[in-house]
PDB file of all heavy atoms in Angstrom:
ATOM      1  N   PHE A 112      10.111  -4.536  14.947  1.00 77.00           N
ATOM      2  CA  PHE A 112       8.683  -4.514  14.666  1.00 77.00           C
ATOM      3  C   PHE A 112       8.008  -3.513  15.592  1.00 77.00           C
ATOM      4  O   PHE A 112       8.203  -3.553  16.800  1.00 77.00           O
ATOM      5  CB  PHE A 112       8.075  -5.898  14.882  1.00 77.00           C
ATOM      6  CG  PHE A 112       8.672  -6.949  13.980  1.00 77.00           C
ATOM      7  CD1 PHE A 112       9.747  -7.716  14.407  1.00 77.00           C
ATOM      8  CD2 PHE A 112       8.175  -7.144  12.718  1.00 77.00           C
ATOM      9  CE1 PHE A 112      10.304  -8.679  13.583  1.00 77.00           C
ATOM     10  CE2 PHE A 112       8.720  -8.095  11.879  1.00 77.00           C
ATOM     11  CZ  PHE A 112       9.789  -8.867  12.313  1.00 77.00           C
ATOM     12  N   ASP A 113       7.211  -2.636  15.003  1.00 72.00           N
ATOM     13  CA  ASP A 113       6.490  -1.688  15.843  1.00 72.00           C
ATOM     14  C   ASP A 113       5.108  -2.247  16.165  1.00 72.00           C
ATOM     15  O   ASP A 113       4.751  -3.359  15.761  1.00 72.00           O
ATOM     16  CB  ASP A 113       6.406  -0.309  15.173  1.00 72.00           C
ATOM     17  CG  ASP A 113       5.700  -0.363  13.819  1.00 72.00           C
ATOM     18  OD1 ASP A 113       4.875  -1.273  13.610  1.00 72.00           O
ATOM     19  OD2 ASP A 113       5.978   0.505  12.972  1.00 72.00           O
ATOM     20  N   GLY A 114       4.316  -1.468  16.891  1.00 66.00           N
ATOM     21  CA  GLY A 114       3.029  -1.967  17.356  1.00 66.00           C
ATOM     22  C   GLY A 114       2.017  -2.225  16.255  1.00 66.00           C
ATOM     23  O   GLY A 114       1.031  -2.921  16.469  1.00 66.00           O
ATOM     24  N   ALA A 116       2.822  -3.641  13.316  1.00 68.00           N
ATOM     25  CA  ALA A 116       3.399  -4.576  12.356  1.00 68.00           C
ATOM     26  C   ALA A 116       2.956  -6.007  12.606  1.00 68.00           C
ATOM     27  O   ALA A 116       2.619  -6.391  13.716  1.00 68.00           O
ATOM     28  CB  ALA A 116       4.923  -4.506  12.402  1.00 68.00           C
ATOM     29  N   ARG A 118       4.461  -9.976  12.140  1.00 79.00           N
ATOM     30  CA  ARG A 118       5.773 -10.594  12.127  1.00 79.00           C
ATOM     31  C   ARG A 118       5.633 -12.094  11.924  1.00 79.00           C
ATOM     32  O   ARG A 118       4.557 -12.663  12.144  1.00 79.00           O
ATOM     33  CB  ARG A 118       6.510 -10.308  13.438  1.00 79.00           C
ATOM     34  CG  ARG A 118       5.792 -10.813  14.655  1.00 79.00           C
ATOM     35  CD  ARG A 118       6.341 -10.220  15.934  1.00 79.00           C
ATOM     36  NE  ARG A 118       7.735 -10.486  16.133  1.00 79.00           N
ATOM     37  CZ  ARG A 118       8.463 -10.006  17.141  1.00 79.00           C
ATOM     38  NH1 ARG A 118       7.874  -9.225  18.021  1.00 79.00           N
ATOM     39  NH2 ARG A 118       9.723 -10.299  17.263  1.00 79.00           N
ATOM     40  N   LEU A 162       1.864 -13.383  12.663  1.00 86.00           N
ATOM     41  CA  LEU A 162       1.245 -13.039  13.942  1.00 86.00           C
ATOM     42  C   LEU A 162       1.429 -11.551  14.173  1.00 86.00           C
ATOM     43  O   LEU A 162       2.492 -11.000  13.866  1.00 86.00           O
ATOM     44  CB  LEU A 162       1.910 -13.838  15.064  1.00 86.00           C
ATOM     45  CG  LEU A 162       1.286 -13.782  16.459  1.00 86.00           C
ATOM     46  CD1 LEU A 162      -0.100 -14.425  16.441  1.00 86.00           C
ATOM     47  CD2 LEU A 162       2.190 -14.483  17.458  1.00 86.00           C
ATOM     48  N   ASP A 163       0.394 -10.888  14.684  1.00 83.00           N
ATOM     49  CA  ASP A 163       0.554  -9.455  14.940  1.00 83.00           C
ATOM     50  C   ASP A 163       1.497  -9.236  16.119  1.00 83.00           C
ATOM     51  O   ASP A 163       1.636 -10.092  16.995  1.00 83.00           O
ATOM     52  CB  ASP A 163      -0.794  -8.775  15.173  1.00 83.00           C
ATOM     53  CG  ASP A 163      -1.445  -9.164  16.479  1.00 83.00           C
ATOM     54  OD1 ASP A 163      -1.074  -8.582  17.514  1.00 83.00           O
ATOM     55  OD2 ASP A 163      -2.304 -10.055  16.468  1.00 83.00           O
ATOM     56  N   ASN A 164       2.139  -8.099  16.118  1.00 81.00           N
ATOM     57  CA  ASN A 164       3.205  -7.827  17.074  1.00 81.00           C
ATOM     58  C   ASN A 164       2.716  -7.841  18.518  1.00 81.00           C
ATOM     59  O   ASN A 164       3.427  -8.268  19.423  1.00 81.00           O
ATOM     60  CB  ASN A 164       3.844  -6.471  16.762  1.00 81.00           C
ATOM     61  CG  ASN A 164       5.081  -6.207  17.597  1.00 81.00           C
ATOM     62  OD1 ASN A 164       6.046  -6.945  17.523  1.00 81.00           O
ATOM     63  ND2 ASN A 164       5.046  -5.161  18.399  1.00 81.00           N
ATOM     64  N   ARG A 165       1.470  -7.383  18.745  1.00 84.00           N
ATOM     65  CA  ARG A 165       0.938  -7.368  20.111  1.00 84.00           C
ATOM     66  C   ARG A 165       0.882  -8.779  20.678  1.00 84.00           C
ATOM     67  O   ARG A 165       1.319  -9.032  21.803  1.00 84.00           O
ATOM     68  CB  ARG A 165      -0.463  -6.751  20.118  1.00 84.00           C
ATOM     69  CG  ARG A 165      -1.110  -6.705  21.497  1.00 84.00           C
ATOM     70  CD  ARG A 165      -2.616  -6.578  21.391  1.00 84.00           C
ATOM     71  NE  ARG A 165      -3.206  -7.693  20.669  1.00 84.00           N
ATOM     72  CZ  ARG A 165      -3.415  -8.891  21.211  1.00 84.00           C
ATOM     73  NH1 ARG A 165      -3.089  -9.131  22.467  1.00 84.00           N
ATOM     74  NH2 ARG A 165      -3.963  -9.847  20.487  1.00 84.00           N
ATOM     75  N   ALA A 166       0.348  -9.720  19.893  1.00 88.00           N
ATOM     76  CA  ALA A 166       0.232 -11.103  20.358  1.00 88.00           C
ATOM     77  C   ALA A 166       1.605 -11.739  20.526  1.00 88.00           C
ATOM     78  O   ALA A 166       1.852 -12.472  21.492  1.00 88.00           O
ATOM     79  CB  ALA A 166      -0.619 -11.915  19.384  1.00 88.00           C
ATOM     80  N   ALA A 167       2.511 -11.456  19.585  1.00 88.00           N
ATOM     81  CA  ALA A 167       3.857 -12.035  19.665  1.00 88.00           C
ATOM     82  C   ALA A 167       4.587 -11.546  20.909  1.00 88.00           C
ATOM     83  O   ALA A 167       5.276 -12.316  21.589  1.00 88.00           O
ATOM     84  CB  ALA A 167       4.648 -11.680  18.409  1.00 88.00           C
ATOM     85  N   THR A 168       4.433 -10.263  21.220  1.00 87.00           N
ATOM     86  CA  THR A 168       5.090  -9.699  22.402  1.00 87.00           C
ATOM     87  C   THR A 168       4.505 -10.288  23.688  1.00 87.00           C
ATOM     88  O   THR A 168       5.242 -10.628  24.622  1.00 87.00           O
ATOM     89  CB  THR A 168       4.931  -8.171  22.414  1.00 87.00           C
ATOM     90  OG1 THR A 168       5.520  -7.631  21.223  1.00 87.00           O
ATOM     91  CG2 THR A 168       5.609  -7.562  23.628  1.00 87.00           C
TER      92      THR A 168
END
Side-chain angles (χ1 to χ4, degrees):
F112 299 93
D113 59 26
R118 59 195 301 176
L162 189 65
D163 70 82
N164 188 61
R165 179 201 60 78
T168 301

